[in-house]
Each structure stands twice: as C-alpha cells, then as structure tokens.
Amino acid sequence: MPELKQLDAGHAPAVLAFELANRAYFAASISDRGDEFYDQFADRHSAMLAEQEAGGCAFYVLVAMDGSILGRFNLYDFKDGTANLGYRVAQRVAGRGVATATVRELCQVAAARHGLHTLRAATSHANAASQKVLTKAGFVPVGPANPADLGGKPGTWYQRDLALQP
C-alpha cells in the first residue's frame, strides 16, 4: 500500500526519477518545468526542504512499496490557516483514484498536523482530470484563476473547508 510521507533529503533520487519519467506526461496538461529544473534539481530539492523547515509550506510524496514515487502533493503559501495545494501523479497510476484518495488524506493531514482550516487549488479549464479529483475530494469552485498562475491557461480556483468531510 502506498504511503504519504513528508518530503525529506532521502527522497531526492526517487523524486527526480519520478519527474523525469513523467515529464512528457505532465507537459501534456501543465506547463513544462524546463531543462533548468532537472539540471539544478539537487539545489531545488534542498531549497524546498529549507522552505519546509521554515514553516511556510509542507511537501509530501506518495511512496510505493518499492520506494518509487507515485505522486507529489504540496501545501504552500501558508497564511492565516489557509494554504494552496498542488499535486501531480505518475502516469502509471493516473485514472485509478490515487490522486483523489491522496488529496483526501492530505486534507486530514493539513488540518491535524499543520493547523490549516482551508485549502485552495487552481486548475486550468483544460485539465478535466484535476477538476474531477478536486470535486471528488470535497473542493468547490470559487472563482477564476489568473492565467499567469497556470502557465498562461485560463482556469478556476477550487476551495475546501477542512472541517467538512467529503
């Protein structure tokens, strides 16, 4: 059974492998991160851990039984009990309910471990799979998202009150 774990230094090789293996798949629905992201991954990973340690965000990975990464789930921009949610799952598990189940679990973790009461997530209008995940996980549309936040694509912000169970 896959396990949701908070990101640590030991996850770096598996996270990079996940990102590289799924790069084309991700680029089909969200903006590609570019070669620099992969070339400077070690520095980026260290910076994320420092940011997490400072308390403004929390990064999670869904780890398979074999140690490979099935998904990344990030809580960021903590402010007044609210945070933004971003996530991506491996192509090999897409469409199997993995993202929905993990987002639901992360909602519980966000409230219990991080004291959050509201999560927000933006998705492009073209990303029907992400819209479905958010809706099934108890999020509701709350307004338009700035295309600058979605790689130039129009989209919608979704929000979930963590006191409510889906």
Side-chain angles (χ1 to χ4, degrees):
M1 183 90 172
E3 185 178 355
L4 186 64
K5 296 182 177 184
Q6 195 157 7
L7 187 69
D8 66 35
H11 291 126
V15 171
L16 180 56
F18 163 82
E19 291 289 349
L20 288 169
N22 292 283
R23 184 176 182 179
Y25 171 67
F26 295 147
S29 60
I30 56 178
S31 298
D32 185 65
R33 291 182 161 163
D35 292 338
E36 185 176 312
F37 173 84
Y38 303 96
D39 294 342
Q40 298 176 1
F41 182 81
D43 292 339
R44 172 79 179 125
H45 190 78
S46 294
M48 289 176 68
L49 293 174
E51 188 179 359
Q52 179 173 260
E53 184 66 28
C57 58
F59 303 113
Y60 288 85
V61 288
L62 184 63
V63 182
M65 297 287 285
D66 67 2
S68 66
I69 302 297
L70 299 177
R72 297 181 69 177
F73 299 83
N74 301 326
L75 301 172
Y76 60 97
D77 292 344
F78 288 20
K79 183 177 181 185
D80 300 326
T82 300
N84 292 331
L85 165 68
Y87 58 90
R88 51 180 53 201
V89 297
Q91 183 175 12
R92 68 185 173 115
V93 298
R96 298 183 186 173
V98 171
T100 300
T102 308
V103 167
R104 285 179 177 150
E105 180 180 354
L106 189 58
C107 286
Q108 294 174 348
V109 169
R113 188 179 299 170
H114 303 292
L116 298 171
H117 55 75
T118 305
L119 290 183
R120 294 173 31 95
T123 187
S124 72
H125 293 155
N127 193 343
S130 189
Q131 295 165 30
K132 189 183 224 182
V133 166
L134 292 170
T135 301
K136 285 183 171 184
F139 287 74
V140 296
V142 293
N146 185 336
D149 295 330
L150 296 168
K153 301 173 185 174
T156 301
W157 277 103
Y158 288 75
Q159 185 169 301
R160 175 163 173 204
D161 177 347
L162 299 179
L164 303 175
Q165 295 299 319

